[in-house]
Amino acid sequence: MKREYLIFFIAAVVSIAGCCCPEKTPELTVIDFASSRDSNYNFGGRQYLVLLCKQGENYFLQSHIPDDTGQNRTVFARNLGKNVLIASNGLTFENGQMTVEYRDNNENWHKARVPFGDFYGDKHVSQVKFIEDLPNEPVSDKYRPAGVFKKEEQALETFLPTLQKHIRNNDADAISKMLTYPAEINIMDIDACYLETRDEFLKYYPHIFTEEIKKNLLKLQNKDIICTGEGLRFYCILSMWFQISIDGKAYFYAIK
């Protein structure tokens, strides 16, 4: 990773923090970082940055993706707690996620992880073939507001019928492969704001796809897909957001 890129990013974070609360926000210190620019993995053309930070007494692990404006979007953040002891090996790459070991104030050791690149179902982004958009690619007339291309319509319109098939078969494992991870889940019965893995999704599956939700989902048709500038979703007691990914398939990314 280029040093100036990191310096720019840190300066931006500190500047934003200072503007929000100039008298109360402690200085942000980056303890360790990892960049996809320094890895041997293919991240589908997207850049990823993971920071291990300290702000006051608090330690954080954060995953960032630069957006189209050149700014950095925090996609996942974890508070490790106050005055923790970070293991000497710092950030390590494990199973598609950046991991740090740390000891809390009770002298118990823990591991914290954030995604270093997205997961598409059971595949890390490094395993997904990148589908490159060609210049002047025709945009879908039906789903133009969400920026869907003509060639992506079929994948979009098979998404709901596929989900309904898995619901009829009570196939939670197949449904778990229809999400990108971390998946934003904002449901009262679930403590976590994000589900990081398929195993976590399967644990909470009965709380997400309740019998009432499944019954109503089976009544939906593709004409019920809501397409706006905010994205694609269908409403079934919960709003279920999905998108076409870099492999040309559709995946849930938020249910709330």
Side-chain angles (χ1 to χ4, degrees):
M1 175 184 169
K2 295 181 180 179
R3 179 178 175 82
E4 56 268 26
Y5 175 78
L6 177 66
I7 293 173
F8 170 79
F9 173 76
I10 297 172
V13 172
V14 173
S15 174
I16 292 170
C19 291
C20 294
C21 192
E23 297 181 358
K24 296 182 180 180
T25 304
E27 182 179 355
L28 177 74
T29 302
V30 176
I31 301 171
D32 197 2
F33 68 93
S35 167
S36 59
R37 294 182 180 180
D38 299 328
S39 73
N40 294 321
Y41 290 86
N42 173 21
F43 290 92
R46 296 173 69 180
Q47 300 292 337
Y48 293 85
L49 179 68
V50 170
L51 299 178
L52 175 61
C53 310
K54 180 182 179 184
Q55 192 167 28
E57 298 178 342
N58 290 287
Y59 287 75
F60 300 90
L61 190 60
Q62 299 178 333
S63 178
H64 301 270
I65 300 175
D67 63 22
D68 294 338
T69 67
Q71 300 299 311
N72 288 281
R73 176 169 59 93
T74 301
V75 293
F76 199 89
R78 170 161 285 175
N79 186 349
L80 308 184
K82 293 184 177 181
N83 297 319
V84 301
L85 176 65
I86 304 297
S88 58
N89 58 343
L91 289 171
T92 57
F93 185 82
E94 293 183 8
N95 299 320
Q97 301 195 65
M98 293 306 299
T99 302
V100 65
E101 295 184 71
Y102 66 97
R103 191 180 73 188
D104 64 23
N105 292 325
N106 295 320
E107 299 192 352
N108 297 314
W109 283 90
H110 307 272
K111 277 189 176 182
R113 298 177 175 89
V114 293
F116 193 47
D118 300 336
F119 280 84
Y120 295 90
D122 57 350
K123 291 185 178 181
H124 184 256
V125 68
S126 60
Q127 301 172 285
V128 175
K129 181 181 178 181
F130 178 48
I131 307 299
E132 184 176 357
D133 293 325
L134 299 175
N136 303 317
E137 183 71 34
V139 177
S140 167
D141 292 329
K142 293 173 67 175
Y143 306 105
R144 180 182 296 271
V148 176
F149 290 110
K150 185 74 174 178
K151 66 178 182 181
E152 297 172 329
E153 282 186 3
Q154 183 177 0
L156 190 157
E157 294 186 340
T158 59
F159 183 69
L160 179 58
T162 300
L163 173 64
Q164 291 171 329
K165 179 186 73 173
H166 295 327
I167 287 175
R168 291 188 188 97
N169 295 334
N170 197 29
D171 194 342
D173 186 69
I175 294 174
S176 74
K177 297 176 183 179
M178 298 181 71
L179 284 81
T180 59
Y181 298 93
E184 182 184 356
I185 307 293
N186 188 1
I187 299 174
M188 186 178 298
D189 293 337
I190 298 179
D191 294 333
C193 294
Y194 289 88
L195 300 185
E196 300 178 52
T197 64
R198 285 180 55 218
D199 287 340
E200 284 196 5
F201 172 83
L202 291 170
K203 173 183 175 183
Y204 290 110
Y205 173 80
H207 299 280
I208 301 169
F209 288 91
T210 63
E211 292 304 316
E212 185 180 14
I213 292 288
K214 290 190 286 186
K215 181 179 178 181
N216 283 276
L217 269 172
L218 291 175
K219 298 177 182 178
L220 294 179
Q221 300 178 36
N222 280 335
K223 65 181 180 62
D224 297 314
I225 293 174
I226 301 168
C227 175
T228 68
E230 295 180 290
L232 297 160
R233 72 186 188 277
F234 42 82
Y235 182 76
C236 180
I237 303 175
L238 298 170
S239 287
M240 300 187 171
W241 296 80
F242 63 104
Q243 62 187 356
I244 304 295
S245 80
I246 61 173
D247 64 348
K249 299 178 182 178
Y251 296 86
F252 285 119
Y253 64 91
I255 302 175
K256 49 191 176 178

